[in-house]
Amino acid sequence: MHIVYKSLPRRRFGVELEVSNNVNKQWLGDVLKRYEASTSGRDVVITSGLKGWAETRQNTYWHVKYDSTCGPKGKGKDNGWEVASYIGRGRRDLTNISQAAGLLGLCGAEVNTNCGLHIHVDAGDLSATEMGVLLARWLKFEDILFGICDPSRTNNKYCRPLRQRWQLRSWRGYDPLAPDAFCRNIGPSDLSTHDNEDKKVSLNTVGWTTGQIAQSYSRKTVELRLPECRLELPHVLHWTSLILNFVDSCKGQSVGPDDLEPARSLREALVWLGFQGMGDEFFLFEKKLLDTKLWLLNKIAGVATGQAREAAELIEFVSKI
């Protein structure tokens, strides 16, 4: 048996919280300023103006801005707000950002069914081969992750499943030994900033793809757009840990899954997600990352899916270790 110790990867990340309009931008900024005054002391920038949207890149501060898509009535009818975290790395930043999100909720900020949680993870060090592996692996467990999200995320035009987005493109010729070709075939073709349908998927790789063309581009990320936004510490912390672990688990991999069909079991899905060893590997997790695995299993066990019973069995197994 080959034992592999797993801890939270030290990849850079940023979290975007979409918030309803029961409060205003200044209120959100003031809550964050008070929080930061007692913790890390980071700045909070509020983009002014009637709409006040601005792209956030390479920021060391919190950024509060307008968002046309996340008001309770929907785009074109009202608006909400986006709270973008500073760029973090490691457990301390993850805890700080998650605590801040929870505080916004405790202080009275609300979300609605149009609000999503978006998490950017730095993937600039991944090659086309490794990104092809990542995309192929994602298809093995994507439906399981949709199953643990709020029903509002299903058939949501801002986070459609990758499988659904790609169904009109050719699947022929997938070769697990040539994931770079799969990456080129399936990757986004539209790299624009606004109204880009290739961004509005559960796992957005437009940033990484742009970075392959323009090496100076500063946002070479993979963006998780799948989960609903909840202003709760565990929700933000565990989704961020999950995607950080997944992206990092694809680094150094050169062979994709044998096929692109959904995993046949939860255990297989956990392998592709990076939460279970492959072959004779046994993963030994640091406690915080183990908590994320247990959080995921409990979420799956709590929904009426084919994996619920298997999730309960795995929870019982892990609790005995």
Side-chain angles (χ1 to χ4, degrees):
M1 180 182 295
H2 177 50
I3 297 177
V4 178
Y5 180 73
K6 298 268 285 184
S7 59
L8 183 75
R10 288 191 57 80
R11 289 184 175 274
R12 297 191 306 161
F13 68 92
V15 172
E16 297 168 356
L17 308 164
E18 292 184 338
V19 183
S20 196
N21 56 18
N22 72 303
V23 295
N24 58 41
K25 286 187 290 185
Q26 189 62 51
W27 184 96
L28 290 165
D30 288 345
V31 172
L32 289 170
K33 287 176 182 178
R34 290 195 298 270
Y35 173 74
E36 283 293 345
S38 64
T39 53
S40 302
R42 292 181 182 272
D43 290 337
V44 178
V45 173
I46 304 171
T47 298
S48 60
L50 180 62
K51 291 190 174 181
W53 184 89
E55 193 169 18
T56 305
R57 290 191 195 175
Q58 300 298 313
N59 57 307
T60 60
Y61 51 84
W62 289 89
H63 189 184
V64 183
K65 50 190 170 177
Y66 174 93
D67 192 312
S68 65
T69 67
C70 60
K73 296 178 182 178
K75 186 175 182 178
K77 300 177 182 178
D78 62 353
N79 68 274
W81 315 111
E82 180 183 304
V83 178
S85 77
Y86 59 89
I87 297 174
R89 174 182 283 180
R91 179 63 60 184
R92 181 176 179 180
D93 285 335
L94 176 55
T95 300
N96 191 54
I97 290 169
S98 302
Q99 285 177 340
L103 179 64
L104 290 174
L106 290 173
C107 288
E110 297 177 355
V111 297
N112 59 69
T113 55
N114 293 320
C115 295
L117 170 64
H118 301 166
I119 304 166
H120 286 267
V121 175
D122 181 21
D125 61 328
L126 266 63
S127 67
T129 293
E130 291 161 335
M131 184 56 65
V133 170
L134 182 149
L135 292 170
R137 286 186 173 190
W138 180 261
L139 293 178
K140 304 299 286 187
F141 56 78
E142 180 184 50
D143 58 337
I144 294 177
L145 295 187
F146 265 99
I148 65 172
C149 290
D150 188 272
S152 64
R153 308 311 285 174
T154 303
N155 298 321
N156 186 302
K157 63 181 179 180
Y158 297 110
C159 66
R160 286 169 295 170
L162 283 185
R163 188 178 297 278
Q164 181 188 96
R165 173 65 180 155
W166 294 338
Q167 66 182 351
L168 299 179
R169 302 185 187 182
S170 174
W171 289 95
R172 295 180 180 178
Y174 169 72
D175 182 354
L177 299 179
D180 54 332
F182 178 65
C183 178
R184 289 191 296 271
N185 186 39
I186 296 301
S189 56
D190 186 349
L191 305 182
S192 58
T193 301
H194 300 289
D195 297 320
N196 182 346
E197 294 302 313
D198 279 351
K199 282 188 171 183
K200 299 173 184 178
V201 288
S202 60
L203 195 68
N204 162 30
T205 60
V206 168
W208 177 87
T209 305
T210 302
Q212 297 299 294
I213 299 170
Q215 289 299 313
S216 61
Y217 184 70
S218 62
R219 205 180 194 186
K220 302 171 185 176
T221 64
V222 168
E223 180 194 18
L224 176 70
R225 296 176 58 87
L226 171 58
E228 71 278 9
C229 187
R230 293 183 185 174
L231 299 176
E232 301 168 0
L233 186 159
H235 184 78
V236 176
L237 187 148
H238 290 308
W239 273 112
T240 306
S241 293
L242 182 148
I243 190 63
L244 280 167
N245 179 69
F246 169 62
V247 172
D248 204 65
S249 71
C250 297
K251 178 66 178 175
Q253 302 299 317
S254 59
V255 179
D258 288 342
D259 58 59
L260 302 176
E261 296 303 315
R264 295 164 183 80
S265 69
L266 177 56
R267 286 173 173 82
E268 181 192 351
L270 290 173
V271 167
W272 303 125
L273 189 51
F275 275 106
Q276 188 141 321
M278 185 181 299
D280 66 345
E281 287 182 327
F282 179 81
F283 286 170
L284 184 62
F285 294 95
E286 64 154 340
K287 185 182 184 307
K288 297 293 186 180
L289 198 55
L290 179 62
D291 287 345
T292 294
K293 180 177 180 178
L294 287 170
W295 167 85
L296 174 62
L297 290 173
N298 276 290
K299 294 276 284 186
I300 296 170
V303 296
T305 67
Q307 296 84 24
R309 182 172 180 177
E310 191 177 0
E313 293 172 351
L314 286 170
I315 293 168
E316 184 179 3
F317 173 77
V318 172
S319 66
K320 293 178 179 178
I321 297 178

